[in-house]
Amino acid sequence: AQSVTQLGSHVSVSEGALVLLRCNYSSSVPPYLFWYVQYPNQGLQLLLKYTSAATLVKGINGFEAEFKKSETSFHLTKPSAHMSDAAEYFCAVSAPPSTSGTYKYIFGTGTRLKVLA
Amino acid sequence: SAVISQKPSRDICQRGTSLTIQCQVDSQVTMMFWYRQQPGQSLTLIATANQGSEATYESGFVIDKFPISRPNLTFSTLTVSNMSPEDSSIYLCSVAISEVYGYTFGSGTRLTVV
C-alpha cells in the first residue's frame, strides 16, 4: 500500500536560508509524487510533480525536489527562503486505481514552514 | 489547469442542521473529489464523484452523512448532514485531469459547528 511520511510537522528557517522539507514514501509500484502548498485560508496549490521523467523536478516559486529511489525520498528544497514562503506544505503519492477504476492520492500530514525575519 | 469555484468559503452552523457545499469547475472533468481537512491534520478523501453514477465513498464515510450530487461534468455538491462539532473542518473540492497532472483544489469551505 502507498504511504507518505513527512518528517517534522513544523520547520523554521531564517529569511535567505535554505529550505529543506522532508518526504519519504512507500509504494508497491513506481510512484507519482507531488508537493502541494497551502497558504492560510486557501486551498492547495500544486508546487511540482514527479512522474517518472527527470529525477530533479523544478516547480513554481523557486522550489525543486529530487526523486531518490534508493532512499524512497522526495525532499523539497529552496535555496533561499522568502517571507512569502510561510505556509503548509504537503507531500502526496498517487495510488493505483481502485477496483472502481479511479485513482487517488495519499497525502502526508503536512509541514508548516515558518520564515523568520 | 482547471479553475474551481467553491462556496460558501466559510460557515458557522448549529448542530443537527445540514450544509451543502457547491463546487463549480470551468471545464468538463470526469472525476471530482471531496476531501476533509480536520484542524491540524492532513487531507482525507471522503468520496469520488463521477457524473452519471453513484459517488464512491472511502472507508469511514457514508452516503447518509455526506450525500453527494454530480448532475453534470462541471458541478458537484457535498452535503454535511446532521452536523455535530466533530464535523468542524475544512472541506475541499478537487479535480484531476489525469493521474499525471495532479489535483487542482478549490479554496475550501471552513465549517464550524456549534
Side-chain angles (χ1 to χ4, degrees):
Chain A
Q2 275 67 21
S3 67
V4 172
T5 302
Q6 289 184 243
L7 296 176
S9 59
H10 293 81
V11 171
S12 294
V13 299
S14 298
E15 190 174 20
L18 172 71
V19 175
L20 171 61
L21 305 182
R22 299 178 185 275
C23 173
N24 288 88
Y25 70 91
S26 171
S27 178
S28 57
V29 298
Y32 292 158
L33 295 159
F34 306 84
W35 274 100
Y36 287 85
V37 59
Q38 186 179 33
Y39 297 103
N41 299 316
Q42 295 188 29
L44 276 72
Q45 180 182 4
L46 181 65
L47 267 179
L48 49 80
K49 59 183 183 286
Y50 167 76
T51 56
S52 73
T55 56
L56 181 62
V57 180
K58 295 185 182 299
I60 62 172
N61 301 337
F63 284 94
E64 62 182 37
E66 186 172 8
F67 172 70
K68 292 186 177 180
K69 183 178 179 180
S70 61
E71 299 177 7
T72 61
S73 69
F74 191 57
H75 301 331
L76 182 70
T77 61
K78 182 174 181 178
S80 176
H82 192 273
M83 297 297 288
S84 61
D85 294 327
E88 184 111 24
Y89 292 80
F90 293 94
C91 183
V93 62
S94 64
S98 66
T99 53
S100 66
T102 59
Y103 50 86
K104 60 182 181 182
Y105 297 87
I106 307 299
F107 285 86
T109 52
T111 298
R112 186 170 298 276
L113 176 65
K114 185 175 182 179
V115 181
L116 308 172
Chain B
S1 62
V3 176
I4 300 175
S5 174
Q6 186 176 338
K7 57 182 180 182
S9 59
R10 58 178 63 230
D11 207 341
I12 301 174
C13 300
Q14 297 291 323
R15 67 177 66 201
T17 63
S18 298
L19 176 71
T20 296
I21 302 167
Q22 299 181 2
C23 180
Q24 179 76 50
V25 188
D26 69 343
S27 58
Q28 293 184 338
V29 292
T30 303
M31 286 180 285
M32 297 178 74
F33 305 86
W34 288 98
Y35 279 85
R36 182 175 72 182
Q37 185 180 19
Q38 293 179 300
Q41 297 188 29
S42 187
L43 284 76
T44 302
L45 181 63
I46 297 172
T48 302
N50 297 320
Q51 194 269 335
S53 63
E54 291 285 333
T56 303
Y57 288 83
E58 298 298 308
S59 176
F61 297 96
V62 295
I63 188 172
D64 290 345
K65 177 67 175 177
F66 297 101
I68 288 171
S69 77
R70 183 81 199 274
N72 57 53
L73 291 174
T74 64
F75 187 78
S76 178
T77 67
L78 169 75
T79 299
V80 186
S81 303
N82 188 25
M83 290 183 285
S84 67
E86 292 71 35
D87 294 320
S88 298
S89 293
I90 299 172
Y91 292 85
L92 294 149
C93 165
S94 67
V95 301
I97 304 301
S98 73
E99 183 181 16
V100 172
Y101 290 100
Y103 282 159
T104 298
F105 284 85
S107 56
T109 296
R110 186 178 295 272
L111 171 62
T112 302
V113 183
V114 297

